[in-house]
Amino acid sequence: MKTYVFIFDGFVQFEIMLATYFLKSRGEIVPFAISKDPVTSYEGFSILPFCSIEQVDVERVDLLVIPGGDVSGVALNKHLHELLQHLHQKKRGIGAICAGTLLLGQAGVLNGHSFTTNSIEEMEKLGRQGTFLNTDVVTDRHIVTAKANAYVDFGIELGKLMDIYENEQDLDETISFFKYFKPLSPNERGGV
């Protein structure tokens, strides 16, 4: 499985770290950007993209993840809109959190879908979208959207979308540990 993560100057790294940690357990994480030039996260980390957006082989993308942050510098990028539209048409997994959801709205992929966002006023300025749900995370078919505070649920939902959990127990252990900070006891795990 290949998970492509769109990075850009000012992207909020913490919103996607847990998701990429989960997804890496079943495949490769491929950070990409508008160009191959380094980008700087909101937290100040300089990251070198694996490839530019023009080098993305859309047939190899199983899931595309978009973090939040200041999306104004990439919002009108034609290549990004085309990539999102192509993946949407192919029903490939797409996840966006916080202001990253605006990029989905600008590409028109939320039409006919339920979604959530921290940026409802900005989303409304884009015109008619799908159905906004004022909840932390929404999974509607192959699209997962989340508010910034739901970064744990975002990662868990992306994992469910991509079927990375071995079984229900694996999912329950992940939720218990990462959402509630409570590792399962050996008895709960079925062990000694």
Side-chain angles (χ1 to χ4, degrees):
M1 178 181 73
K2 283 190 182 267
T3 299
Y4 281 71
V5 179
F6 181 58
I7 58 176
F8 50 90
D9 280 323
F11 82 96
V12 180
Q13 194 170 2
F14 89 85
E15 293 175 343
I16 59 163
M17 282 297 99
L18 202 52
T20 56
Y21 177 78
F22 295 157
L23 295 162
K24 176 102 174 123
S25 71
R26 295 291 187 257
E28 184 180 354
I29 304 298
V30 182
F32 74 100
I34 298 300
S35 72
K36 285 189 78 172
D37 295 333
V39 300
T40 303
S41 72
Y42 175 81
E43 296 86 354
F45 289 90
S46 181
I47 299 171
L48 185 63
F50 180 79
C51 63
S52 73
I53 196 165
E54 293 180 4
Q55 295 171 317
V56 172
D57 179 355
V58 295
E59 299 308 317
R60 300 192 71 195
V61 178
D62 297 304
L63 171 66
L64 185 136
V65 177
I66 303 174
D70 181 2
V71 298
S72 61
V74 296
L76 301 177
N77 186 278
K78 178 183 112 178
H79 297 293
L80 178 60
H81 291 185
E82 290 171 353
L83 175 62
L84 287 167
Q85 291 163 359
H86 180 82
L87 294 173
H88 179 55
Q89 289 169 351
K90 296 273 188 184
K91 303 213 180 334
R92 301 283 173 85
I94 299 172
I97 187 167
C98 194
T101 57
L102 288 171
L103 299 176
L104 301 185
Q106 290 163 333
V109 300
L110 292 175
N111 293 325
H113 290 269
S114 295
F115 70 95
T116 193
T117 183
N118 288 89
S119 306
I120 190 59
E121 291 90 18
E122 292 90 344
M123 192 70 81
E124 288 172 347
K125 291 176 188 174
L126 297 175
R128 179 151 173 80
Q129 297 295 313
T131 303
F132 171 72
L133 300 178
N134 191 16
T135 188
D136 287 343
V137 66
V138 173
T139 300
D140 188 340
R141 291 163 276 177
H142 62 281
I143 298 176
V144 177
T145 53
K147 292 183 178 181
N149 63 303
Y151 61 93
V152 175
D153 292 318
F154 181 63
I156 291 167
E157 286 298 311
L158 287 173
K160 286 166 51 178
L161 178 72
M162 302 310 293
D163 198 27
I164 67 166
Y165 304 106
E166 292 178 15
N167 51 40
E168 200 65 33
Q169 181 179 341
D170 185 25
L171 173 61
D172 290 345
E173 287 177 4
T174 300
I175 292 169
S176 178
F177 186 82
F178 289 99
K179 186 169 181 174
Y180 301 112
F181 310 108
K182 178 186 166 239
L184 293 177
S185 70
N187 291 340
E188 293 172 305
R189 287 193 302 258
V192 178

